[in-house]
Amino acid sequence: MNAEPEGRAGVDDQVLAVMPRLTQLGNAVSRGRLTEHAMKAAGIEVDRPAFSVLMSVHLADKPLRISEIAEKMQVVQPHVTRQVQQLERRGLVRRIGDPNDRRVSFIEPTGEGTAAADRYARTLIGWFTGAIAHWSEQDREDLGRLLARFADDVTAHLATLEDG
């Protein structure tokens, strides 16, 4: 007989109860009017996947290989290659050769790409700040702490899928 560890069913129910909210939030941020509004404020007309690549490169602390961008975004490398090419044509990113290996290049945002990503981020930050402005300072701190913990733990747990 497969006995569940004590409390496991309760935890499963708690996670299950949160799933519709995660879906709701994911849709609002990635597919909803908010993203369209923020992209419009950025003043750059590229498709969403390309803009996601730009944001990944912008938020990195160093130029990234296409494979690193794909890993961060959890997508396949050819997808990122196509998006980088679109961003290059628009002058939003550039390739930098690796001095140690001519076959490798790194991607970094141009000045125009950085400015567009900053405008996008400021729009999102302003919108989210307005959405939770009525929350107590403690609630805002708790959200930041728990969301960071959740994102880190989910990312770490995803790595176990690749190992098994």
Side-chain angles (χ1 to χ4, degrees), residues 45-51 81-93:
E45 293 186 22
V46 295
D47 58 25
R48 285 184 192 175
F51 209 89
T81 299
R82 285 189 300 273
Q83 304 311 321
V84 165
Q85 290 168 344
Q86 179 184 13
L87 293 167
E88 282 181 301
R89 285 191 299 273
R90 301 278 174 111
L92 300 172
V93 299

mmCIF file with all atom_site columns, all heavy atoms in Angstrom, residues 45-51 81-93:
data_model
loop_
_atom_site.group_PDB
_atom_site.id
_atom_site.type_symbol
_atom_site.label_atom_id
_atom_site.label_alt_id
_atom_site.label_comp_id
_atom_site.label_asym_id
_atom_site.label_entity_id
_atom_site.label_seq_id
_atom_site.pdbx_PDB_ins_code
_atom_site.Cartn_x
_atom_site.Cartn_y
_atom_site.Cartn_z
_atom_site.occupancy
_atom_site.B_iso_or_equiv
_atom_site.pdbx_formal_charge
_atom_site.auth_seq_id
_atom_site.auth_comp_id
_atom_site.auth_asym_id
_atom_site.auth_atom_id
_atom_site.pdbx_PDB_model_num
ATOM 1   N N   . GLU A 1 45 ? 9.063  48.026 -31.565 1.00 0.00 ? 45 GLU A N   1
ATOM 2   C CA  . GLU A 1 45 ? 8.109  47.080 -32.139 1.00 0.00 ? 45 GLU A CA  1
ATOM 3   C C   . GLU A 1 45 ? 8.814  45.803 -32.556 1.00 0.00 ? 45 GLU A C   1
ATOM 4   O O   . GLU A 1 45 ? 9.338  45.718 -33.663 1.00 0.00 ? 45 GLU A O   1
ATOM 5   C CB  . GLU A 1 45 ? 7.377  47.725 -33.311 1.00 0.00 ? 45 GLU A CB  1
ATOM 6   C CG  . GLU A 1 45 ? 6.472  48.855 -32.879 1.00 0.00 ? 45 GLU A CG  1
ATOM 7   C CD  . GLU A 1 45 ? 5.637  49.412 -34.015 1.00 0.00 ? 45 GLU A CD  1
ATOM 8   O OE1 . GLU A 1 45 ? 5.436  48.686 -35.011 1.00 0.00 ? 45 GLU A OE1 1
ATOM 9   O OE2 . GLU A 1 45 ? 5.192  50.554 -33.886 1.00 0.00 ? 45 GLU A OE2 1
ATOM 10  N N   . VAL A 1 46 ? 8.848  44.864 -31.627 1.00 0.00 ? 46 VAL A N   1
ATOM 11  C CA  . VAL A 1 46 ? 9.315  43.507 -31.905 1.00 0.00 ? 46 VAL A CA  1
ATOM 12  C C   . VAL A 1 46 ? 8.290  42.574 -31.271 1.00 0.00 ? 46 VAL A C   1
ATOM 13  O O   . VAL A 1 46 ? 7.480  43.000 -30.452 1.00 0.00 ? 46 VAL A O   1
ATOM 14  C CB  . VAL A 1 46 ? 10.731 43.226 -31.333 1.00 0.00 ? 46 VAL A CB  1
ATOM 15  C CG1 . VAL A 1 46 ? 11.774 44.086 -32.025 1.00 0.00 ? 46 VAL A CG1 1
ATOM 16  C CG2 . VAL A 1 46 ? 10.783 43.413 -29.830 1.00 0.00 ? 46 VAL A CG2 1
ATOM 17  N N   . ASP A 1 47 ? 8.344  41.307 -31.635 1.00 0.00 ? 47 ASP A N   1
ATOM 18  C CA  . ASP A 1 47 ? 7.381  40.395 -31.026 1.00 0.00 ? 47 ASP A CA  1
ATOM 19  C C   . ASP A 1 47 ? 7.796  40.075 -29.588 1.00 0.00 ? 47 ASP A C   1
ATOM 20  O O   . ASP A 1 47 ? 8.915  40.341 -29.169 1.00 0.00 ? 47 ASP A O   1
ATOM 21  C CB  . ASP A 1 47 ? 7.181  39.143 -31.880 1.00 0.00 ? 47 ASP A CB  1
ATOM 22  C CG  . ASP A 1 47 ? 8.456  38.363 -32.134 1.00 0.00 ? 47 ASP A CG  1
ATOM 23  O OD1 . ASP A 1 47 ? 9.401  38.462 -31.319 1.00 0.00 ? 47 ASP A OD1 1
ATOM 24  O OD2 . ASP A 1 47 ? 8.510  37.639 -33.128 1.00 0.00 ? 47 ASP A OD2 1
ATOM 25  N N   . ARG A 1 48 ? 6.852  39.516 -28.858 1.00 0.00 ? 48 ARG A N   1
ATOM 26  C CA  . ARG A 1 48 ? 7.089  39.246 -27.430 1.00 0.00 ? 48 ARG A CA  1
ATOM 27  C C   . ARG A 1 48 ? 8.275  38.335 -27.172 1.00 0.00 ? 48 ARG A C   1
ATOM 28  O O   . ARG A 1 48 ? 9.065  38.606 -26.261 1.00 0.00 ? 48 ARG A O   1
ATOM 29  C CB  . ARG A 1 48 ? 5.833  38.662 -26.787 1.00 0.00 ? 48 ARG A CB  1
ATOM 30  C CG  . ARG A 1 48 ? 4.783  39.685 -26.549 1.00 0.00 ? 48 ARG A CG  1
ATOM 31  C CD  . ARG A 1 48 ? 3.616  39.063 -25.836 1.00 0.00 ? 48 ARG A CD  1
ATOM 32  N NE  . ARG A 1 48 ? 2.497  39.984 -25.858 1.00 0.00 ? 48 ARG A NE  1
ATOM 33  C CZ  . ARG A 1 48 ? 1.315  39.707 -25.402 1.00 0.00 ? 48 ARG A CZ  1
ATOM 34  N NH1 . ARG A 1 48 ? 1.079  38.520 -24.874 1.00 0.00 ? 48 ARG A NH1 1
ATOM 35  N NH2 . ARG A 1 48 ? 0.350  40.587 -25.449 1.00 0.00 ? 48 ARG A NH2 1
ATOM 36  N N   . PRO A 1 49 ? 8.432  37.243 -27.932 1.00 0.00 ? 49 PRO A N   1
ATOM 37  C CA  . PRO A 1 49 ? 9.597  36.392 -27.669 1.00 0.00 ? 49 PRO A CA  1
ATOM 38  C C   . PRO A 1 49 ? 10.923 37.147 -27.833 1.00 0.00 ? 49 PRO A C   1
ATOM 39  O O   . PRO A 1 49 ? 11.837 36.972 -27.032 1.00 0.00 ? 49 PRO A O   1
ATOM 40  C CB  . PRO A 1 49 ? 9.466  35.266 -28.692 1.00 0.00 ? 49 PRO A CB  1
ATOM 41  C CG  . PRO A 1 49 ? 7.999  35.206 -28.980 1.00 0.00 ? 49 PRO A CG  1
ATOM 42  C CD  . PRO A 1 49 ? 7.530  36.642 -28.914 1.00 0.00 ? 49 PRO A CD  1
ATOM 43  N N   . ALA A 1 50 ? 11.018 37.990 -28.835 1.00 0.00 ? 50 ALA A N   1
ATOM 44  C CA  . ALA A 1 50 ? 12.242 38.764 -29.028 1.00 0.00 ? 50 ALA A CA  1
ATOM 45  C C   . ALA A 1 50 ? 12.446 39.729 -27.863 1.00 0.00 ? 50 ALA A C   1
ATOM 46  O O   . ALA A 1 50 ? 13.567 39.906 -27.376 1.00 0.00 ? 50 ALA A O   1
ATOM 47  C CB  . ALA A 1 50 ? 12.199 39.528 -30.349 1.00 0.00 ? 50 ALA A CB  1
ATOM 48  N N   . PHE A 1 51 ? 11.362 40.345 -27.412 1.00 0.00 ? 51 PHE A N   1
ATOM 49  C CA  . PHE A 1 51 ? 11.496 41.271 -26.294 1.00 0.00 ? 51 PHE A CA  1
ATOM 50  C C   . PHE A 1 51 ? 11.908 40.533 -25.029 1.00 0.00 ? 51 PHE A C   1
ATOM 51  O O   . PHE A 1 51 ? 12.690 41.046 -24.228 1.00 0.00 ? 51 PHE A O   1
ATOM 52  C CB  . PHE A 1 51 ? 10.205 42.062 -26.068 1.00 0.00 ? 51 PHE A CB  1
ATOM 53  C CG  . PHE A 1 51 ? 10.474 43.417 -25.484 1.00 0.00 ? 51 PHE A CG  1
ATOM 54  C CD1 . PHE A 1 51 ? 10.705 44.496 -26.311 1.00 0.00 ? 51 PHE A CD1 1
ATOM 55  C CD2 . PHE A 1 51 ? 10.541 43.601 -24.114 1.00 0.00 ? 51 PHE A CD2 1
ATOM 56  C CE1 . PHE A 1 51 ? 10.986 45.754 -25.783 1.00 0.00 ? 51 PHE A CE1 1
ATOM 57  C CE2 . PHE A 1 51 ? 10.821 44.843 -23.571 1.00 0.00 ? 51 PHE A CE2 1
ATOM 58  C CZ  . PHE A 1 51 ? 11.043 45.928 -24.420 1.00 0.00 ? 51 PHE A CZ  1
ATOM 59  N N   . THR A 1 81 ? 18.188 31.946 -31.138 1.00 0.00 ? 81 THR A N   1
ATOM 60  C CA  . THR A 1 81 ? 18.975 32.415 -32.290 1.00 0.00 ? 81 THR A CA  1
ATOM 61  C C   . THR A 1 81 ? 18.117 33.271 -33.214 1.00 0.00 ? 81 THR A C   1
ATOM 62  O O   . THR A 1 81 ? 18.540 34.356 -33.641 1.00 0.00 ? 81 THR A O   1
ATOM 63  C CB  . THR A 1 81 ? 19.565 31.220 -33.058 1.00 0.00 ? 81 THR A CB  1
ATOM 64  O OG1 . THR A 1 81 ? 20.430 30.484 -32.185 1.00 0.00 ? 81 THR A OG1 1
ATOM 65  C CG2 . THR A 1 81 ? 20.347 31.685 -34.285 1.00 0.00 ? 81 THR A CG2 1
ATOM 66  N N   . ARG A 1 82 ? 16.903 32.816 -33.510 1.00 0.00 ? 82 ARG A N   1
ATOM 67  C CA  . ARG A 1 82 ? 16.001 33.596 -34.380 1.00 0.00 ? 82 ARG A CA  1
ATOM 68  C C   . ARG A 1 82 ? 15.659 34.951 -33.749 1.00 0.00 ? 82 ARG A C   1
ATOM 69  O O   . ARG A 1 82 ? 15.635 35.972 -34.441 1.00 0.00 ? 82 ARG A O   1
ATOM 70  C CB  . ARG A 1 82 ? 14.718 32.805 -34.655 1.00 0.00 ? 82 ARG A CB  1
ATOM 71  C CG  . ARG A 1 82 ? 14.884 31.671 -35.629 1.00 0.00 ? 82 ARG A CG  1
ATOM 72  C CD  . ARG A 1 82 ? 13.544 31.066 -36.043 1.00 0.00 ? 82 ARG A CD  1
ATOM 73  N NE  . ARG A 1 82 ? 12.794 30.519 -34.919 1.00 0.00 ? 82 ARG A NE  1
ATOM 74  C CZ  . ARG A 1 82 ? 12.935 29.284 -34.451 1.00 0.00 ? 82 ARG A CZ  1
ATOM 75  N NH1 . ARG A 1 82 ? 13.797 28.460 -35.013 1.00 0.00 ? 82 ARG A NH1 1
ATOM 76  N NH2 . ARG A 1 82 ? 12.189 28.867 -33.438 1.00 0.00 ? 82 ARG A NH2 1
ATOM 77  N N   . GLN A 1 83 ? 15.409 34.944 -32.453 1.00 0.00 ? 83 GLN A N   1
ATOM 78  C CA  . GLN A 1 83 ? 15.048 36.196 -31.778 1.00 0.00 ? 83 GLN A CA  1
ATOM 79  C C   . GLN A 1 83 ? 16.232 37.159 -31.733 1.00 0.00 ? 83 GLN A C   1
ATOM 80  O O   . GLN A 1 83 ? 16.067 38.363 -31.929 1.00 0.00 ? 83 GLN A O   1
ATOM 81  C CB  . GLN A 1 83 ? 14.521 35.918 -30.360 1.00 0.00 ? 83 GLN A CB  1
ATOM 82  C CG  . GLN A 1 83 ? 13.347 34.961 -30.285 1.00 0.00 ? 83 GLN A CG  1
ATOM 83  C CD  . GLN A 1 83 ? 12.240 35.294 -31.258 1.00 0.00 ? 83 GLN A CD  1
ATOM 84  O OE1 . GLN A 1 83 ? 11.908 36.453 -31.489 1.00 0.00 ? 83 GLN A OE1 1
ATOM 85  N NE2 . GLN A 1 83 ? 11.645 34.273 -31.851 1.00 0.00 ? 83 GLN A NE2 1
ATOM 86  N N   . VAL A 1 84 ? 17.418 36.631 -31.490 1.00 0.00 ? 84 VAL A N   1
ATOM 87  C CA  . VAL A 1 84 ? 18.624 37.476 -31.471 1.00 0.00 ? 84 VAL A CA  1
ATOM 88  C C   . VAL A 1 84 ? 18.834 38.094 -32.848 1.00 0.00 ? 84 VAL A C   1
ATOM 89  O O   . VAL A 1 84 ? 19.165 39.287 -32.961 1.00 0.00 ? 84 VAL A O   1
ATOM 90  C CB  . VAL A 1 84 ? 19.863 36.675 -31.015 1.00 0.00 ? 84 VAL A CB  1
ATOM 91  C CG1 . VAL A 1 84 ? 21.158 37.413 -31.333 1.00 0.00 ? 84 VAL A CG1 1
ATOM 92  C CG2 . VAL A 1 84 ? 19.775 36.377 -29.512 1.00 0.00 ? 84 VAL A CG2 1
ATOM 93  N N   . GLN A 1 85 ? 18.621 37.327 -33.900 1.00 0.00 ? 85 GLN A N   1
ATOM 94  C CA  . GLN A 1 85 ? 18.773 37.874 -35.249 1.00 0.00 ? 85 GLN A CA  1
ATOM 95  C C   . GLN A 1 85 ? 17.794 39.018 -35.488 1.00 0.00 ? 85 GLN A C   1
ATOM 96  O O   . GLN A 1 85 ? 18.160 40.047 -36.070 1.00 0.00 ? 85 GLN A O   1
ATOM 97  C CB  . GLN A 1 85 ? 18.582 36.760 -36.293 1.00 0.00 ? 85 GLN A CB  1
ATOM 98  C CG  . GLN A 1 85 ? 19.720 35.769 -36.295 1.00 0.00 ? 85 GLN A CG  1
ATOM 99  C CD  . GLN A 1 85 ? 19.427 34.514 -37.098 1.00 0.00 ? 85 GLN A CD  1
ATOM 100 O OE1 . GLN A 1 85 ? 18.283 34.217 -37.438 1.00 0.00 ? 85 GLN A OE1 1
ATOM 101 N NE2 . GLN A 1 85 ? 20.473 33.747 -37.381 1.00 0.00 ? 85 GLN A NE2 1
ATOM 102 N N   . GLN A 1 86 ? 16.561 38.864 -35.035 1.00 0.00 ? 86 GLN A N   1
ATOM 103 C CA  . GLN A 1 86 ? 15.572 39.940 -35.170 1.00 0.00 ? 86 GLN A CA  1
ATOM 104 C C   . GLN A 1 86 ? 16.032 41.177 -34.389 1.00 0.00 ? 86 GLN A C   1
ATOM 105 O O   . GLN A 1 86 ? 15.963 42.306 -34.898 1.00 0.00 ? 86 GLN A O   1
ATOM 106 C CB  . GLN A 1 86 ? 14.205 39.474 -34.665 1.00 0.00 ? 86 GLN A CB  1
ATOM 107 C CG  . GLN A 1 86 ? 13.134 40.556 -34.752 1.00 0.00 ? 86 GLN A CG  1
ATOM 108 C CD  . GLN A 1 86 ? 11.790 40.113 -34.147 1.00 0.00 ? 86 GLN A CD  1
ATOM 109 O OE1 . GLN A 1 86 ? 11.684 39.119 -33.459 1.00 0.00 ? 86 GLN A OE1 1
ATOM 110 N NE2 . GLN A 1 86 ? 10.775 40.884 -34.417 1.00 0.00 ? 86 GLN A NE2 1
ATOM 111 N N   . LEU A 1 87 ? 16.519 40.970 -33.171 1.00 0.00 ? 87 LEU A N   1
ATOM 112 C CA  . LEU A 1 87 ? 16.970 42.094 -32.342 1.00 0.00 ? 87 LEU A CA  1
ATOM 113 C C   . LEU A 1 87 ? 18.201 42.769 -32.947 1.00 0.00 ? 87 LEU A C   1
ATOM 114 O O   . LEU A 1 87 ? 18.329 44.000 -32.886 1.00 0.00 ? 87 LEU A O   1
ATOM 115 C CB  . LEU A 1 87 ? 17.263 41.612 -30.919 1.00 0.00 ? 87 LEU A CB  1
ATOM 116 C CG  . LEU A 1 87 ? 16.043 41.143 -30.118 1.00 0.00 ? 87 LEU A CG  1
ATOM 117 C CD1 . LEU A 1 87 ? 16.489 40.405 -28.857 1.00 0.00 ? 87 LEU A CD1 1
ATOM 118 C CD2 . LEU A 1 87 ? 15.124 42.317 -29.781 1.00 0.00 ? 87 LEU A CD2 1
ATOM 119 N N   . GLU A 1 88 ? 19.077 41.970 -33.540 1.00 0.00 ? 88 GLU A N   1
ATOM 120 C CA  . GLU A 1 88 ? 20.259 42.542 -34.211 1.00 0.00 ? 88 GLU A CA  1
ATOM 121 C C   . GLU A 1 88 ? 19.835 43.434 -35.375 1.00 0.00 ? 88 GLU A C   1
ATOM 122 O O   . GLU A 1 88 ? 20.371 44.533 -35.551 1.00 0.00 ? 88 GLU A O   1
ATOM 123 C CB  . GLU A 1 88 ? 21.175 41.434 -34.746 1.00 0.00 ? 88 GLU A CB  1
ATOM 124 C CG  . GLU A 1 88 ? 22.038 40.780 -33.712 1.00 0.00 ? 88 GLU A CG  1
ATOM 125 C CD  . GLU A 1 88 ? 22.922 39.717 -34.338 1.00 0.00 ? 88 GLU A CD  1
ATOM 126 O OE1 . GLU A 1 88 ? 22.397 38.757 -34.936 1.00 0.00 ? 88 GLU A OE1 1
ATOM 127 O OE2 . GLU A 1 88 ? 24.156 39.861 -34.220 1.00 0.00 ? 88 GLU A OE2 1
ATOM 128 N N   . ARG A 1 89 ? 18.882 42.951 -36.194 1.00 0.00 ? 89 ARG A N   1
ATOM 129 C CA  . ARG A 1 89 ? 18.414 43.741 -37.340 1.00 0.00 ? 89 ARG A CA  1
ATOM 130 C C   . ARG A 1 89 ? 17.830 45.077 -36.875 1.00 0.00 ? 89 ARG A C   1
ATOM 131 O O   . ARG A 1 89 ? 17.917 46.069 -37.602 1.00 0.00 ? 89 ARG A O   1
ATOM 132 C CB  . ARG A 1 89 ? 17.373 42.956 -38.145 1.00 0.00 ? 89 ARG A CB  1
ATOM 133 C CG  . ARG A 1 89 ? 17.959 41.856 -38.999 1.00 0.00 ? 89 ARG A CG  1
ATOM 134 C CD  . ARG A 1 89 ? 16.950 41.269 -39.974 1.00 0.00 ? 89 ARG A CD  1
ATOM 135 N NE  . ARG A 1 89 ? 15.795 40.672 -39.340 1.00 0.00 ? 89 ARG A NE  1
ATOM 136 C CZ  . ARG A 1 89 ? 15.709 39.412 -38.913 1.00 0.00 ? 89 ARG A CZ  1
ATOM 137 N NH1 . ARG A 1 89 ? 16.738 38.602 -39.068 1.00 0.00 ? 89 ARG A NH1 1
ATOM 138 N NH2 . ARG A 1 89 ? 14.605 38.956 -38.354 1.00 0.00 ? 89 ARG A NH2 1
ATOM 139 N N   . ARG A 1 90 ? 17.223 45.089 -35.712 1.00 0.00 ? 90 ARG A N   1
ATOM 140 C CA  . ARG A 1 90 ? 16.625 46.321 -35.172 1.00 0.00 ? 90 ARG A CA  1
ATOM 141 C C   . ARG A 1 90 ? 17.633 47.176 -34.403 1.00 0.00 ? 90 ARG A C   1
ATOM 142 O O   . ARG A 1 90 ? 17.295 48.240 -33.903 1.00 0.00 ? 90 ARG A O   1
ATOM 143 C CB  . ARG A 1 90 ? 15.466 45.972 -34.225 1.00 0.00 ? 90 ARG A CB  1
ATOM 144 C CG  . ARG A 1 90 ? 14.358 45.170 -34.863 1.00 0.00 ? 90 ARG A CG  1
ATOM 145 C CD  . ARG A 1 90 ? 13.400 46.084 -35.617 1.00 0.00 ? 90 ARG A CD  1
ATOM 146 N NE  . ARG A 1 90 ? 12.411 45.323 -36.343 1.00 0.00 ? 90 ARG A NE  1
ATOM 147 C CZ  . ARG A 1 90 ? 11.133 45.271 -36.047 1.00 0.00 ? 90 ARG A CZ  1
ATOM 148 N NH1 . ARG A 1 90 ? 10.665 45.943 -35.034 1.00 0.00 ? 90 ARG A NH1 1
ATOM 149 N NH2 . ARG A 1 90 ? 10.318 44.555 -36.774 1.00 0.00 ? 90 ARG A NH2 1
ATOM 150 N N   . GLY A 1 91 ? 18.851 46.696 -34.278 1.00 0.00 ? 91 GLY A N   1
ATOM 151 C CA  . GLY A 1 91 ? 19.888 47.465 -33.584 1.00 0.00 ? 91 GLY A CA  1
ATOM 152 C C   . GLY A 1 91 ? 19.741 47.450 -32.066 1.00 0.00 ? 91 GLY A C   1
ATOM 153 O O   . GLY A 1 91 ? 20.243 48.352 -31.385 1.00 0.00 ? 91 GLY A O   1
ATOM 154 N N   . LEU A 1 92 ? 19.095 46.414 -31.515 1.00 0.00 ? 92 LEU A N   1
ATOM 155 C CA  . LEU A 1 92 ? 18.851 46.362 -30.075 1.00 0.00 ? 92 LEU A CA  1
ATOM 156 C C   . LEU A 1 92 ? 19.858 45.506 -29.316 1.00 0.00 ? 92 LEU A C   1
ATOM 157 O O   . LEU A 1 92 ? 20.035 45.675 -28.108 1.00 0.00 ? 92 LEU A O   1
ATOM 158 C CB  . LEU A 1 92 ? 17.430 45.850 -29.806 1.00 0.00 ? 92 LEU A CB  1
ATOM 159 C CG  . LEU A 1 92 ? 16.327 46.720 -30.416 1.00 0.00 ? 92 LEU A CG  1
ATOM 160 C CD1 . LEU A 1 92 ? 14.972 46.045 -30.276 1.00 0.00 ? 92 LEU A CD1 1
ATOM 161 C CD2 . LEU A 1 92 ? 16.320 48.093 -29.775 1.00 0.00 ? 92 LEU A CD2 1
ATOM 162 N N   . VAL A 1 93 ? 20.511 44.577 -30.016 1.00 0.00 ? 93 VAL A N   1
ATOM 163 C CA  . VAL A 1 93 ? 21.592 43.789 -29.421 1.00 0.00 ? 93 VAL A CA  1
ATOM 164 C C   . VAL A 1 93 ? 22.733 43.705 -30.422 1.00 0.00 ? 93 VAL A C   1
ATOM 165 O O   . VAL A 1 93 ? 22.558 43.971 -31.606 1.00 0.00 ? 93 VAL A O   1
ATOM 166 C CB  . VAL A 1 93 ? 21.141 42.348 -29.018 1.00 0.00 ? 93 VAL A CB  1
ATOM 167 C CG1 . VAL A 1 93 ? 20.028 42.377 -27.980 1.00 0.00 ? 93 VAL A CG1 1
ATOM 168 C CG2 . VAL A 1 93 ? 20.760 41.515 -30.228 1.00 0.00 ? 93 VAL A CG2 1
#
